[in-house]
Amino acid sequence: MSGPVGDRLEAGFFARDPRTVAAELIGCALFRDGVGGRIVETEAYAEYDPACHAHVGRTDRSEVLFGPPGRAYVYLSYGIHQLFNVVTEPDGTAAAVLIRALEPLCGLERMRARRGPRRPDRELCAGPGRLTQALGIGAATNQADLATGVVGLYGRAASEAPDLEVGPRIGITKAADWPWRWWERDSPWVSR
DNA sequence: CCTGCGATTTGCT
DNA sequence: GCAAATCGCAGGC
């Protein structure tokens, strides 16, 4: 590989514990149709985790979380915001990683057009609802195969080792104290 | 700078 | 019927 973006990530990368995947995704990249950036903040969700949508078992919505790794789980939050997750763990075990913030790399003009002309670049992708709007990710991406579709994740150079920080997840009421959020220390691009 | 609140839809009880 | 993995705006300091 060359440059800041490495090889496209495939099922094997995602078929692991969501906490491991969440930590290793920091510094990787998320793109849709040439627009995207470097992942700087993630959260993990697991089947035995009360905050996870799969905790209630298999439903129409949660079914994808139980399916093969490397698929997208996109859902509508608060009736307004689309949130983008990657399904992890092998087929049959439910888990996911929520992508919470990106450092914009490509397609800044298209991001600004989608997010509004007066918005500071700092706020383009700093938040899970914001980054899906900036990249144009919506319900059509739910259940998509991220190894082959228009939305894809890409590895980081072996030389790049992000300075990781861990803390509690944001915006949840159940299991709110579990330290299952990862971000890049001192990054100006994280949420909040 | 900070805090508080309304938007708007869906999934599940 | 209600809570929800959020965001942007209004208003106060």
Side-chain angles (χ1 to χ4, degrees):
Chain A
M1 18 183 190
S2 61
V5 175
D7 297 322
R8 192 157 186 173
L9 300 174
E10 298 185 6
F13 178 88
F14 299 108
R16 298 179 291 163
D17 188 294
R19 293 167 294 181
T20 305
V21 176
E24 290 191 17
L25 277 177
I26 303 297
C28 296
L30 171 65
F31 277 89
R32 174 179 173 271
D33 193 25
V35 179
R38 196 168 155 277
I39 297 168
V40 295
E41 185 179 358
T42 57
E43 282 180 358
Y45 289 87
E47 190 172 341
Y48 54 88
D49 164 12
C52 181
H53 291 166
H55 191 246
V56 296
R58 292 179 187 255
T59 65
D60 285 348
R61 181 172 71 163
S62 69
E63 187 63 31
V64 64
L65 293 167
F66 289 87
R71 300 274 180 85
Y73 170 50
V74 180
Y75 79 98
L76 188 63
S77 178
Y78 290 93
I80 299 174
H81 307 288
Q82 301 287 349
L83 269 56
F84 173 83
N85 301 250
V86 197
V87 173
T88 75
E89 295 278 20
D91 197 353
T93 299
V97 173
L98 170 70
I99 308 301
R100 286 195 57 89
L102 303 177
E103 172 185 341
L105 290 180
C106 298
L108 280 277
E109 285 307 324
R110 291 168 75 188
M111 291 185 188
R112 294 182 189 115
R114 290 173 176 139
R115 292 279 295 135
R118 274 164 217 285
R119 189 158 304 284
D121 284 357
R122 298 275 283 253
E123 298 178 5
L124 285 177
C125 297
R130 290 168 169 178
L131 72 90
T132 57
Q133 187 183 24
L135 271 59
I137 292 175
T141 299
N142 191 34
Q143 300 187 268
D145 183 350
L146 297 169
T148 57
V150 66
V151 176
L153 290 148
Y154 300 83
R156 52 184 165 81
S159 58
E160 191 192 356
D163 191 0
L164 291 187
E165 201 153 10
V166 189
R169 295 177 291 187
I170 291 176
I172 58 172
T173 54
K174 291 170 274 189
D177 56 329
W178 295 15
W180 282 20
R181 179 167 58 104
W182 283 260
W183 66 94
E184 183 175 40
R185 188 185 308 272
D186 297 330
S187 170
W189 305 104
V190 300
S191 67
R192 290 263 236 252

